[in-house]
Amino acid sequence: MEKKTSQLSGFYKLSPKERILLVKEFADLTDEEINLLQSTGSLDMDLANRMIENVVGAFPVPLGIAVNFLVNKRDYLIPMAIEEPSIVAGASYAARMVRDGGGFFANSTAPIMIGQIQAVHIKDPHGAKMAIYAAKEEILKKANDQDPMLVSVGGGAKDLEVKVINTQTGSMVITELHVDCRDVMGANAVNTMAEAVAPIIERITHGRVYLRIISNLATKRLARAWCTVPKKAVGGEEVVDGIIGAHAFAAADPYRAATHNKGILNGIIGVVIATCNDHRAIEAGAHAYAVRNGAYGSLSIWEKNENGDLVGSIELPMAVGIVGGATRVHPIAKIALKILRVKTAPEFSEVLAAVGLAQNLAALRALAHEGIQRGHMALHARNIAISAGATGELVDRIVERMVEERKVRLDRAKELLAEYQSGREN
Ligand code: MEV
């Protein structure tokens, strides 16, 4: 009987090295695997250990640069940290097509995040709502006292809204702080403010406050991008119509819309990870926004103008920062931000919206034209060949064969590798 246990009390107190030894024993890791875990590359083990808990290593992901981006007439190189092949190539290709139409245009709202304070057990919720509005100045002051730095750069709690909602456990009075986060993502600032004002809300409502937390449905922090792609650049009238049909499909069917939006996020999330922003927040906000009208739909729109050219647009919440959090801690995130050359978080959010639209265009063009698999498969085949154990020039030869035979599978890669290695190549 195996005597392994995952109950490791005090694990958090150990050094990464000590933790690795415990994990080694638990999972029968080899010395080679241990060495790989310990070689954390550009993210120093000490730094990694300060970023999260129970650290045993770092996880490298390829960092690629999408090229050709022109947003509001400014050139951008786009760093993307992503494991999926064809995303960087797709974004670059789409940005090239969009350049022919003058590039992307983009704008954004003020960087306002919403912090929610949930008050319950209130006999007169509608009266309490009015009382909270009456105390607005006191509440905003208390919130702003928490973050003089943010206030000094023009940010801070600017307004509030109160709503009464009916729930399974009775009515609740929800106060929503509107906090201008300037160049930070804002979760820390907003959560601190929400916690600080809770006693005032309790005093005013005679209720009990439970949750005090940011909302990831950042409807007051939206980024928008749009572009016109000449029909010639996109591949002709038929391709334009195919892309418009693909959008109509996504707009009408949530099963397609989820995949359509995933394609948009493929690009955005790559950049968000490269800059060490919170990609879960972006994903949550994007999907919640896509269902804001009651039915889950497409985040982008594709139409045709009077010349028959393709017109694309996108609008989605974009809670990203260029200071604060891990963005200025992680050495590669710092470099990624330098490559981006964005001066403010709103500018960054606009570039991200453009990247999402580009990624969407790349996917829809491929889907509506030659199908996604041709381009995808060649790249996917590389991973398969490498997984089969191929190295050096054998990777290319195996990829070529698998794509030619339309058999991009691990078993075939292994067969081909064995063939090449034994010199039985034919
Ligand atoms: C694959 O990662 C993304 C696509 O499925 C997006 C789409 O279908 O629009 C190609």
Side-chain angles (χ1 to χ4, degrees), residues 257-276:
T259 322
H260 178 104
N261 292 340
K262 189 267 185 186
I264 291 170
L265 289 162
N266 269 345
I268 294 173
I269 296 301
V271 191
V272 168
I273 292 177
T275 57
C276 242

Side-chain angles (χ1 to χ4, degrees), residues 78 214 244 248 303 325 347 370:
I78 312 290
I214 199 165
I244 292 170
E303 351 168 76
E347 181 192 354
E370 68 217 5

Side-chain angles (χ1 to χ4, degrees), residues 84-87 256 258-264 266 359-360 362-364 366-367 372 376:
E84 186 175 328
S86 75
I87 289 179
R256 174 56 207 154
T259 322
H260 178 104
N261 292 340
K262 189 267 185 186
I264 291 170
N266 269 345
Q359 206 71 58
N360 186 221
L364 297 191
L367 287 166
I372 207 85
H376 247 239

Side-chain angles (χ1 to χ4, degrees), residues 165-337:
I165 59 172
N166 293 318
T167 77
Q168 286 174 355
T169 58
S171 54
M172 297 179 184
V173 179
I174 310 297
T175 306
E176 294 185 337
L177 284 180
H178 297 174
V179 183
D180 186 324
C181 295
R182 297 284 94 196
D183 287 331
V184 295
M185 184 274 185
N188 279 331
V190 172
N191 294 340
T192 304
M193 289 181 182
E195 289 188 7
V197 304
I200 305 181
I201 309 267
E202 284 190 333
R203 191 195 76 221
I204 295 170
T205 60
H206 306 292
R208 166 90 200 271
V209 166
Y210 283 92
L211 272 58
R212 298 146 294 167
I213 188 79
I214 199 165
S215 168
N216 289 124
L217 178 51
T219 52
K220 296 194 173 294
R221 195 178 195 172
L222 299 175
R224 310 181 185 99
W226 62 97
C227 61
T228 302
V229 202
K231 58 176 178 281
K232 192 158 165 263
V234 90
E237 238 165 73
E238 218 176 294
V239 183
V240 169
D241 288 338
I243 291 172
I244 292 170
H247 163 255
F249 181 9
D253 176 33
Y255 285 85
R256 174 56 207 154
T259 322
H260 178 104
N261 292 340
K262 189 267 185 186
I264 291 170
L265 289 162
N266 269 345
I268 294 173
I269 296 301
V271 191
V272 168
I273 292 177
T275 57
C276 242
N277 267 282
D278 181 346
H279 56 96
R280 290 81 57 210
I282 300 295
E283 296 258 5
H287 293 298
Y289 197 65
V291 74
R292 68 195 178 285
N293 296 327
Y296 186 90
S298 165
L299 287 166
S300 65
I301 294 174
W302 292 99
E303 351 168 76
K304 196 157 60 168
N305 68 12
E306 64 281 6
N307 302 325
D309 295 333
L310 188 64
V311 178
S313 54
I314 188 168
E315 179 186 81
L316 75 169
M318 200 61 83
V320 285
I322 60 163
V323 289
T327 52
R328 295 282 175 188
V329 174
H330 194 293
I332 302 297
K334 283 197 275 189
I335 299 172
L337 278 166

Side-chain angles (χ1 to χ4, degrees), residues 116-176:
Q116 297 190 298
I117 300 125
Q118 172 210 29
V120 299
H121 309 324
I122 298 168
K123 290 270 181 302
D124 55 344
H126 294 276
K129 168 178 160 175
M130 294 305 159
I132 294 172
Y133 274 124
K136 176 171 143 179
E137 293 315 317
E138 181 193 355
I139 295 168
L140 295 184
K141 180 177 180 317
K142 183 76 181 176
N144 284 328
D145 284 349
Q146 311 311 308
D147 205 331
M149 179 70 188
L150 184 59
V151 174
S152 76
V153 294
K158 302 287 183 190
D159 201 358
L160 59 76
E161 263 175 39
V162 191
K163 61 189 182 191
V164 176
I165 59 172
N166 293 318
T167 77
Q168 286 174 355
T169 58
S171 54
M172 297 179 184
V173 179
I174 310 297
T175 306
E176 294 185 337

Side-chain angles (χ1 to χ4, degrees), residues 347-420:
E347 181 192 354
F348 184 28
S349 75
E350 292 165 17
V351 171
L352 285 166
V355 170
L357 194 58
Q359 206 71 58
N360 186 221
L361 173 61
L364 297 191
R365 186 185 176 279
L367 287 166
H369 191 39
E370 68 217 5
I372 207 85
Q373 286 309 73
R374 214 174 84 190
H376 247 239
M377 272 304 154
L379 290 160
H380 176 56
R382 288 192 69 79
N383 282 343
I384 299 279
I386 293 165
S387 312
T391 52
E393 65 155 9
L394 275 189
V395 175
D396 293 331
R397 289 163 81 176
I398 290 171
V399 166
E400 215 170 282
R401 285 279 299 276
M402 288 196 297
V403 171
E404 196 180 280
E405 296 170 357
R406 293 183 169 269
K407 278 190 198 161
V408 182
R409 297 192 319 250
L410 189 62
D411 58 332
R412 184 60 186 144
K414 283 184 175 161
E415 269 171 28
L416 287 168
L417 181 63
E419 232 178 67
Y420 284 124

